[in-house]
């Protein structure tokens, strides 16, 4: 019997430099896709996958995230008095049971591996999930739920993957694949942001991981990798061979919201998926696309 995945780590300490100036005074994880912040989509996905404890690794200037997952008494009162029950529901939903969200701080931005290491005492000795809110996934079955199912099958490390154009390998962690059945790829190597000329494949990690707690043994060495940062990918690579390690080609569409075009595309896709917005948004997109053709 594999252990249940109960805890999820959300590294939210990044500076968000790619979205300056807006991220000067707000966390990038609070950027809205239609009307919900990126972090809410990620937390909802985790809850739908059975996660019971949310661990945020935050940093300076991220207080808006803590406020977002707390009650807003003023809004509650005003909306209640005005009988706005639909709006009231939207602000109540992200508030989880007291004690199920914990926060720790990454005091220095030393890299994703370091951010995850900051959660070691909170995770303890059990397999856990990591979700990067920048990667937004639209799927019938939440991406993390698909991964939990694979973890229950294999009992090992699982990362969600998708093929990227060869010229984009230097943006992501890339798999070296031992065998591949089209759904699950057995991992024999991992490289962080390789140059297209030396990339072992085009199969890239998206920001969803299920890892065994042994990862902390390697992260604690705090070795620097690509870009001078402590990379999660490097420590994951060192776990290969000790337990099963698979890349799951998840079912769904991933939007890289760490990138301006990807973030815009996510907004269009999620707005089109809303019945009340669909027709209006479609007309707008059509109009602009047609004008651009002249
Ligand atoms: C991080 C990881 C990378 C992964 C990517 C997914 O990179 O280091 O391996 O492919 O997230 O979004 P970052 O986006 O922080 O540069």
């Amino acid at each position: 019997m594999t252990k249940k995945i109960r805890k999820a780590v959300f590294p939210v300490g990044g500076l968000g430099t790619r979205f300056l100036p807006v991220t000067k005074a707000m966390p990038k994880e609070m950027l809205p896709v239609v009307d919900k912040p990126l972090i809410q989509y990620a937390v909802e996905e985790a809850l739908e996958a059975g996660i019971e404890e949310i661990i945020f690794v935050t940093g300076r200037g991220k207080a808006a995230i803590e406020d977002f997952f707390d009650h807003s008494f003023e809004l509650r009162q005003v909306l209640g008095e005005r009988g706005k029950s639909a709006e009231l529901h939207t602000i109540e939903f992200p508030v989880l049971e007291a004690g199920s969200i914990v926060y720790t701080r990454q005091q220095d931005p030393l890299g994703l591996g370091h951010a995850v290491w900051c959660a070691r005492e909170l995770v303890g000795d059990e397999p856990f999930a990591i979700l990067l809110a920048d990667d937004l996934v639209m799927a019938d079955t939440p991406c993390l739920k698909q991964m939990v199912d694979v973890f229950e099958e294999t009992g090992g490390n699982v990362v969600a993957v998708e093929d990227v154009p060869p010229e984009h390998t230097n943006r992501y962690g890339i798999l070296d694949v031992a065998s591949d059945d089209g759904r699950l790829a057995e991992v024999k190597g991992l490289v962080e942001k390789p140059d297209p000329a030396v990339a072992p494949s085009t199969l890239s990690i998206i920001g969803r991981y299920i890892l065994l707690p042994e990862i902390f043994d390697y992260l604690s060495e705090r070795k620097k990798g690509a870009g001078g940062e402590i990379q999660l990918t490097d420590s994951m690579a060192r776990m290969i061979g000790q337990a099963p390690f698979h890349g799951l080609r998840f079912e769904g569409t991933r939007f890289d919201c760490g990138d301006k075009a990807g973030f815009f595309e996510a907004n269009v896709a999620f707005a089109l998926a809303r019945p009340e917005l669909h027709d209006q948004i479609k007309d707008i997109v059509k109009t602009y696309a047609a004008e651009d053709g002249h």
Side-chain angles (χ1 to χ4, degrees), residues 107-122:
Q107 291 137 319
D108 300 297
L110 299 179
L112 178 61
H114 178 256
V116 172
W117 178 77
C118 292
R120 66 199 178 283
E121 296 296 340
L122 298 167

Side-chain angles (χ1 to χ4, degrees), residues 216-263:
F216 294 117
D217 298 341
Y218 299 107
L219 290 174
S220 63
E221 292 179 22
R222 300 169 59 128
K223 282 197 182 139
K224 288 186 181 163
E229 295 188 3
I230 301 172
Q231 296 290 355
L232 180 61
T233 304
D234 296 343
S235 286
M236 290 195 303
R238 294 175 63 193
M239 293 210 290
I240 296 167
Q242 298 173 10
F245 204 137
H246 292 91
L248 167 68
R249 284 194 178 79
F250 61 98
E251 285 175 21
T253 308
R254 173 268 199 123
F255 301 93
D256 181 353
C257 294
D259 171 75
K260 290 187 182 84
F263 176 69

Side-chain angles (χ1 to χ4, degrees), residues 49-285:
I51 295 295
E52 294 161 9
E53 189 173 313
I54 304 289
I55 301 168
F56 284 121
V57 182
T58 69
R60 276 179 291 281
K62 300 283 182 166
I65 296 178
E66 294 185 37
D67 290 341
F68 183 74
F69 288 98
D70 194 1
H71 290 295
S72 165
F73 290 101
E74 299 88 337
L75 265 176
R76 233 185 189 181
Q77 191 178 339
V78 172
L79 294 174
E81 281 167 9
R82 296 186 184 166
K84 293 194 177 283
S85 55
E87 288 82 354
L88 197 57
H89 178 72
T90 65
I91 65 157
E92 293 294 341
F93 183 73
V95 181
L96 311 183
E97 195 191 348
S100 51
I101 301 189
V102 293
Y103 298 88
T104 189
R105 268 201 186 202
Q106 182 188 22
Q107 291 137 319
D108 300 297
L110 299 179
L112 178 61
H114 178 256
V116 172
W117 178 77
C118 292
R120 66 199 178 283
E121 296 296 340
L122 298 167
V123 171
D125 189 24
E126 58 184 281
F128 66 105
I130 304 168
L131 293 95
L132 308 185
D134 284 6
D135 281 312
L136 177 54
V137 185
M138 185 185 265
D140 291 339
T141 304
C143 181
L144 189 65
K145 173 75 177 78
Q146 298 177 39
M147 296 170 69
V148 166
D149 292 345
V150 172
F151 173 76
E152 284 168 2
E153 253 172 66
T154 64
N157 301 293
V158 187
V159 289
V161 295
E162 71 174 6
D163 275 301
V164 291
E167 65 274 21
H168 288 176
T169 58
N170 55 6
R171 298 184 186 181
Y172 304 110
I174 300 291
L175 268 57
D176 193 357
V177 173
S179 66
D180 190 345
D181 69 6
R183 173 174 168 262
L184 283 186
E186 194 190 337
V187 179
K188 71 168 179 192
L190 289 167
V191 196
E192 181 65 11
K193 303 194 171 81
D195 198 73
V198 294
S201 77
T202 54
L203 213 47
S204 82
I205 302 176
I206 73 154
R208 299 288 183 278
Y209 309 78
I210 291 179
L211 297 178
L212 302 178
E214 286 74 22
I215 188 76
F216 294 117
D217 298 341
Y218 299 107
L219 290 174
S220 63
E221 292 179 22
R222 300 169 59 128
K223 282 197 182 139
K224 288 186 181 163
E229 295 188 3
I230 301 172
Q231 296 290 355
L232 180 61
T233 304
D234 296 343
S235 286
M236 290 195 303
R238 294 175 63 193
M239 293 210 290
I240 296 167
Q242 298 173 10
F245 204 137
H246 292 91
L248 167 68
R249 284 194 178 79
F250 61 98
E251 285 175 21
T253 308
R254 173 268 199 123
F255 301 93
D256 181 353
C257 294
D259 171 75
K260 290 187 182 84
F263 176 69
F264 176 76
E265 188 185 353
N267 267 287
V268 174
F270 277 77
L272 284 172
R274 292 273 191 94
E276 76 280 14
L277 290 174
H278 177 273
D279 292 352
Q280 210 183 339
I281 299 297
K282 195 172 170 184
D283 285 348
I284 292 171
V285 173

